[in-house]
Amino acid sequence: MNLVKSLALGSAAAFVALTGAQAADLPGAEPVEYVKVCDAYGAGFFYIPGSDTCLQIGGFARLDVSVGEVVKNNAGVKPNNNVGFRTRARLWFDARTDTEYGTVRTYIRAQFQRQSGALGLAAATDVGVGDDSIFDKAFVQFAGLTAGLTDSFWDFKPYPTFTNPFISDRTLSVLAYTADFGGGFSASIAVEDGTARRSATLAGLPGSVGSNYNEQKFPDIVGNVRVQQGWGEAQISGFAHNITNELGGRDTAWGYGGQVGVKVNLPSLAKGDFVYGTAAYSSGSLSYLGVGQTGDSVFGIAQTQNVDRGNRLSDFEVDGGGNIRKTEGYAFNLGLLHYWDPKWRSAFQGTYINVNVKAAGQDWAAYGLTTNLIWTPVKKLDIGGEVNYVKNTNTSDVYALRKKDEFIGRMRVQRDF
């Protein structure tokens, strides 16, 4: 019996060996190449088959529902929505290749959203109002160079709420160089698209003939110095913004501003906790304070920043002699993120802005207080609610808070991958 088993096993082994040898000789056989993990740049990267480039793919799907009787009406024509919906999807690709000059990085991010019946906008029956596909980011980084569409090098935005405070949060075309000094210290200088920061109006006011930008003669010049270490991060940034006017005579001027931002980690309270604060000043470009431009958004979905788009959001006015008179403003933000436990966290935030428009009766100020509670039942799934209290001194009947102050609520469900 043992002899029979030995002969059977030997015959099977010989057959497998022969079959394998014949298969190796078949014409056109290609080796199988499996996706391999790339651990050089952190979790989630893998090698693109047939290349030495590492790729990471990510994104999210999100629903926001906002509630609040934010404005009286829409120029007295239609009542405004008290409830708004927005669904957004984001998809991004991060490709990196190691070279003799350092890492070459290519990053692309796109957003797709539907915003229908938006909070604060006139009532509408078209459920497609607000459909949008956003070419959000696309840039290359190499040897300190950043070129493409990305965050402004002015921005410092570690805020932990759904709601944007009075802080710049924009993507725009830039060409920048960053010097890395080691130890977490760096400095950057950038030229950025100034047209993405423009806000003006043709309406004339007492003492002015309105404002309107002419051609872009020079790009915005933006610089920062920052440090990022285990304790947190800090940044000092500044900008110069060219203004060329075409109303009431031709004049040109430079806007400018500065910002200080600090974030301090608080692991002694709980893992992931931090406190942050910013202080910023702008002369000649309100977008650097987070208001004015169409892409700037404060206090939630759509127009809930509650400031009319007249001269109160204009970067400058022009006097009777054709001279540019720049709008000035400053903004402060303070926030805290706290983890009650690994699955529950809350944020607390205060934001304030004060704007001086160089036309009679157009100055305004506003502030907001925000808090939320977010539940993460499983990794990368957030379900949360947020409440904002907002108040401003805007007196316009066209675009103002119903009672000059208001509570705005928001619920969010988001799944990252």
Side-chain angles (χ1 to χ4, degrees), residues 201-250:
T201 176
L202 292 170
L205 290 171
S208 76
V209 293
S211 61
N212 193 35
Y213 277 96
N214 211 311
E215 78 276 13
Q216 179 172 238
K217 282 189 172 183
F218 304 98
D220 283 13
I221 309 299
V222 178
N224 72 49
V225 177
R226 66 180 290 116
V227 58
Q228 186 168 9
Q229 298 176 338
W231 59 266
E233 57 186 298
Q235 176 176 294
I236 300 174
S237 51
F239 77 87
H241 172 76
N242 185 250
I243 300 169
T244 302
N245 174 64
E246 66 173 12
L247 294 179
R250 188 177 181 82

Side-chain angles (χ1 to χ4, degrees), residues 143-158:
L145 179 73
T146 299
L149 185 71
T150 186
D151 297 317
S152 170
F153 280 76
W154 159 274
D155 290 359
F156 185 82
K157 49 184 183 182

Side-chain angles (χ1 to χ4, degrees), residues 62-279:
R62 173 199 293 170
L63 170 68
D64 279 321
V65 182
S66 290
V67 180
E69 196 170 3
V70 183
V71 292
K72 294 179 180 179
N73 53 46
N74 187 355
V77 178
K78 289 183 178 181
N80 293 84
N81 294 317
N82 298 336
V83 178
F85 288 80
R86 180 172 67 192
T87 299
R88 173 176 288 180
R90 177 178 290 175
L91 185 64
W92 49 263
F93 303 86
D94 189 349
R96 307 188 192 190
T97 306
D98 203 18
T99 74
E100 59 183 307
Y101 301 100
T103 300
V104 178
R105 182 188 186 196
T106 305
Y107 186 92
I108 298 173
R109 190 174 85 182
Q111 292 186 162
F112 311 91
Q113 73 179 33
R114 168 167 290 187
Q115 179 170 293
S116 56
L119 177 68
L121 290 180
T125 56
D126 183 359
V127 297
V129 171
D131 285 7
D132 198 7
S133 298
I134 306 172
F135 176 45
D136 191 47
K137 285 188 178 182
F139 63 86
V140 175
Q141 289 181 316
F142 172 66
L145 179 73
T146 299
L149 185 71
T150 186
D151 297 317
S152 170
F153 280 76
W154 159 274
D155 290 359
F156 185 82
K157 49 184 183 182
Y159 57 87
T161 56
F162 306 157
T163 301
N164 292 21
F166 289 112
I167 194 169
S168 173
D169 185 1
R170 300 295 310 281
T171 58
L172 63 168
S173 296
V174 308
L175 178 62
Y177 176 76
T178 299
D180 187 346
F181 304 118
F185 289 89
S186 65
S188 301
I189 185 70
V191 291
E192 302 185 355
D193 180 12
T195 63
R197 295 288 192 180
R198 293 180 169 188
S199 183
T201 176
L202 292 170
L205 290 171
S208 76
V209 293
S211 61
N212 193 35
Y213 277 96
N214 211 311
E215 78 276 13
Q216 179 172 238
K217 282 189 172 183
F218 304 98
D220 283 13
I221 309 299
V222 178
N224 72 49
V225 177
R226 66 180 290 116
V227 58
Q228 186 168 9
Q229 298 176 338
W231 59 266
E233 57 186 298
Q235 176 176 294
I236 300 174
S237 51
F239 77 87
H241 172 76
N242 185 250
I243 300 169
T244 302
N245 174 64
E246 66 173 12
L247 294 179
R250 188 177 181 82
D251 191 19
T252 186
W254 282 92
Y256 59 88
Q259 177 176 247
V260 177
V262 179
K263 172 189 173 185
V264 179
N265 297 325
L266 301 173
S268 59
L269 292 180
K271 183 179 179 182
D273 283 20
F274 67 82
V275 62
Y276 88 96
T278 64

